[in-house]
Every structure is written in C-alpha cells, then in structure tokens.
Amino acid sequence: MSEIWVPFENAESEFVEKRSRFIGRVFHVESEAEARARIEETKKRHYDARHNCWCYLLRQGNTVRYSDDGEPQGTAGQPMLNVFQRLGVTDVCCVVTRYFGGILLGAGGLTRAYSKGAHDALAAAGICRLSLWTLWTVPCTYPLLERVKLEIAERGGVIRNTEYAADIRLTAAFPEGGAEMFSVRLTELSAGALFMEEAGEELLPGPRREIS
C-alpha cells in the first residue's frame, strides 16, 4: 500500500494582503458529499464575502474538483489544489474566502494569495499518515484487564471495543509487528490459557506531523 497522507484535523488560518482579507479552511473529508457540505457550510458562514474559492481531493474515485468562484480563471482553485498535490495530501477539502479590500492583486498576486491561504490552513491542521493496522479479538479475564490494556498500549496498539460478560473480549488494533509482540505477552500473562484471533484490518491515522 502506498503512503496515504491526510489532514490531521480541521483548521483555519487568516491573513491580509493589500487590504483583502483571506480566510483559509482545511477539512478532512472522506466523500464528495462531505466535501460539498463543507463548502456550502463555509459559503453560508461567509455569505457576504466576494469569493469563496475551493478545491477537494479524494481517494474515493480519484476525485479532484476545484472552483475559482468568480476570480480570474486559474488564479484560485487550481493553485490551491496544487498545494495538496505537491505535498501528497488527499481526502482534503479546502475553502479560501476573500473579502475584497479594494486593491486589485493581479493574476500573479491572486495565485500567490490563494496558494498561501491553502498552505497556511494545512499548516494549522497538520498532516498524518494512514496506515493499515490489523484488528484482533483479545479474550481477557477481569483480574488481567488493566495489565492487558497496558501491554496493548506498550506494543503501540489501541483498544477499539470492549465487551463485558463472564469474561471480557477486547477488540484491539495493532500497527505492523505489534500484534506478534503482544501475542507472546498474552501467552505469558495467562500461562497459555488465552489466545487472540485475527478480526480484520483497518486504516488508522498516525501521529500529527508538521509541513514546511
């Protein structure tokens, strides 16, 4: 699987260029409907702005869309899109709102301003890498629960679900290599009485990383 980079969180940034106010927003989205909803949400919030230019890139269907929203063709949506393509970021929607300040920026100035709006918003959001984790069903007794949870965390795993009955069944996700290491500890802790079972795979985000 090739590396998949997405926004770590939704974020906003703002700057002023020759009295025009630019507000950039970045959203992590997973569908075209979600991207469109974010765009409409921003347009309603800034209904009084001269322009709400936008773009989005999705893994789903390799979808790429953008709009200059009344700015000269090629000066807004495409430069914004280029920011994410250059950094290899996907599943992202960006809207840069412009409140016109009365001074024309020219094609070059607009391109730089909208690129900056997208870049600054992404810098505020940060990025993270999606990785394929394996899911496991982990049986556990009540006396061992806290120790098992600690051992899962120490192998880089996360608990996705917990079912309580006569005993406990955890669903845990592990990055590459983590499940194998935890399995050995589970056998040791339970004196060979407990064995975990594979339960599938899931794409999960890693830690936040900054962009330059």
Side-chain angles (χ1 to χ4, degrees), residues 4-82:
I4 300 171
W5 292 90
V6 299
F8 180 76
E9 61 186 346
N10 300 336
E12 175 181 321
S13 66
E14 182 175 335
F15 69 95
V16 175
E17 179 69 23
K18 293 183 179 178
R19 297 201 306 224
S20 280
R21 179 185 173 205
F22 290 87
I23 305 167
R25 287 188 174 83
V26 157
F27 307 96
H28 180 197
V29 295
E30 296 182 351
S31 69
E32 196 159 8
E34 188 179 357
R36 291 284 183 178
R38 290 298 195 176
I39 292 165
E40 291 306 312
E41 170 189 308
T42 304
K43 285 182 175 181
K44 288 178 182 178
R45 181 174 177 180
H46 295 289
Y47 66 91
D48 54 342
R50 178 71 67 90
H51 307 282
N52 286 287
C53 304
W54 53 264
C55 69
Y56 57 84
L57 299 83
L58 298 166
R59 284 182 296 128
Q60 187 181 87
N62 293 317
T63 304
V64 176
R65 301 280 187 273
Y66 60 89
S67 169
D68 296 313
D69 193 35
E71 293 283 26
Q73 185 176 358
T75 62
Q78 183 69 59
M80 291 162 57
L81 186 70
N82 290 344

Side-chain angles (χ1 to χ4, degrees), residues 91-160:
D91 286 355
V92 58
C93 174
C94 178
V95 184
V96 177
T97 299
R98 181 190 183 192
Y99 284 91
F100 183 56
I103 299 175
L104 297 176
L105 300 183
L110 287 172
T111 297
R112 288 188 294 272
Y114 280 102
S115 296
K116 175 176 171 58
H119 185 277
D120 288 358
L122 184 60
I127 61 174
C128 62
R129 183 168 65 92
L130 290 182
S131 301
L132 195 62
W133 293 40
T134 55
L135 295 173
W136 296 82
T137 299
V138 181
C140 180
T141 62
Y142 282 89
L144 283 178
L145 177 60
E146 294 307 316
R147 185 58 186 273
V148 166
K149 288 165 63 176
L150 179 63
E151 294 287 345
I152 290 172
E154 287 186 353
R155 271 71 191 172
V158 293
I159 295 172
R160 307 294 285 163

